[in-house]
Amino acid sequence: DVERRQAIRRNHTATHLLHKALREVLGTDTHQAGSLVAPERLRFDFTSLDAMTPQQVARVGEIVSEQVVASTPVDTQVLAYADAVEGGAMALFGEKYGETVHTISIMEGEKDKYSYELCGGTHLERTSDVGAFIIVSESSAAAGVRRIEAVTGRGAYELIQKRFKTLKQTAGSLKTSLDEVPTKVDALQDEVSELKKELAALRTQAALS
């Protein structure tokens, strides 16, 4: 099933980009604590005592998207375990590896490796084949472990279309343009707040009379 396999490749290569981006934003103490690579989505668990801020989540998404747009090569090699680790390949804590391992390198320039990990899964040939990357959620998975869920490729496109449709419907209900929706919502919230104060005052007057 070529289409299904390509979808898995998108989410798998994006998982490696996500891992690297998280370590850039949160620090190198952050590491993988579990993952799921499926055709329709990816899930990545990582060590962190604190929830990510919206700004951190946005920055991670930006870094991954920058790597996708850069269209850098994804190189796969089979090496001796000792040679791979000596060369800087990241191994997962608790995993058992044989004498020979499969390595995945996402390049940055002709010689530098942006991401270099031991991984036996299927991957893309270039990062641009991810198509698009969108973080759907960031939540708690367990004590000291956070979880990010994201979509790529067709799943990302469908999510964009769904959210854009919702935004258009909201703009229509508010009788304003798409760009002015946040401003209009803020104005309505202020108006509701004032009306609540007026209502409370009227109720107080009614009770006293």
Side-chain angles (χ1 to χ4, degrees):
D1 189 337
V2 177
E3 186 175 340
R4 179 179 182 276
R5 187 172 179 82
Q6 187 67 1
I8 291 171
R9 283 176 171 155
R10 289 191 191 97
N11 285 329
H12 202 167
T13 299
T15 296
H16 282 235
L17 293 173
L18 173 60
H19 190 189
K20 174 65 174 180
L22 283 167
R23 287 168 64 85
E24 284 188 33
V25 173
L26 301 180
T28 54
D29 288 339
T30 297
H31 60 265
Q32 182 175 338
S35 70
L36 168 72
V37 177
E40 67 280 356
R41 66 190 174 100
L42 68 91
R43 186 181 72 212
F44 189 80
D45 294 348
F46 58 97
T47 56
S48 179
L49 296 175
D50 302 315
M52 293 177 67
T53 66
Q55 293 77 15
Q56 287 174 326
V57 174
R59 182 55 189 148
V60 167
E62 287 173 3
I63 291 172
V64 174
S65 294
E66 286 165 4
Q67 290 300 319
V68 171
V69 171
S71 190
T72 51
V74 179
D75 183 51
T76 61
Q77 286 187 322
V78 176
L79 301 171
Y81 174 76
D83 292 340
V85 173
E86 186 178 344
M90 184 183 298
L92 294 182
F93 178 76
E95 289 286 331
K96 294 182 179 179
Y97 298 96
E99 293 182 6
T100 305
V101 292
H102 194 244
T103 67
I104 301 296
S105 306
I106 299 176
M107 305 304 292
E108 188 174 43
E110 294 184 2
K111 296 182 179 180
D112 296 330
K113 292 182 176 70
Y114 174 73
S115 172
Y116 188 32
E117 298 187 49
L118 303 185
C119 181
T122 184
H123 281 273
L124 302 168
E125 293 182 2
R126 304 192 74 85
T127 57
S128 55
D129 292 336
V130 169
F133 175 86
I134 297 177
I135 294 176
V136 178
S137 65
E138 190 274 346
S139 61
S140 173
V145 178
R146 305 295 299 179
R147 171 172 292 171
I148 280 183
E149 298 205 38
V151 289
T152 64
R154 183 183 295 276
Y157 173 77
E158 290 174 351
L159 181 61
I160 291 169
Q161 289 295 97
K162 180 181 178 181
R163 289 183 172 177
F164 187 61
K165 181 180 179 181
T166 300
L167 180 59
K168 287 177 69 177
Q169 290 174 339
T170 303
S173 298
L174 295 173
K175 295 180 175 58
T176 189
S177 66
L178 298 181
D179 293 337
E180 291 298 318
V181 166
T183 303
K184 186 73 171 179
V185 169
D186 287 342
L188 284 172
Q189 286 180 326
D190 290 342
E191 185 177 344
V192 168
S193 179
E194 288 300 317
L195 288 171
K196 283 182 176 179
K197 289 178 182 178
E198 290 180 20
L199 180 59
L202 290 170
R203 283 175 172 167
T204 300
Q205 288 179 6
L208 291 172
S209 64

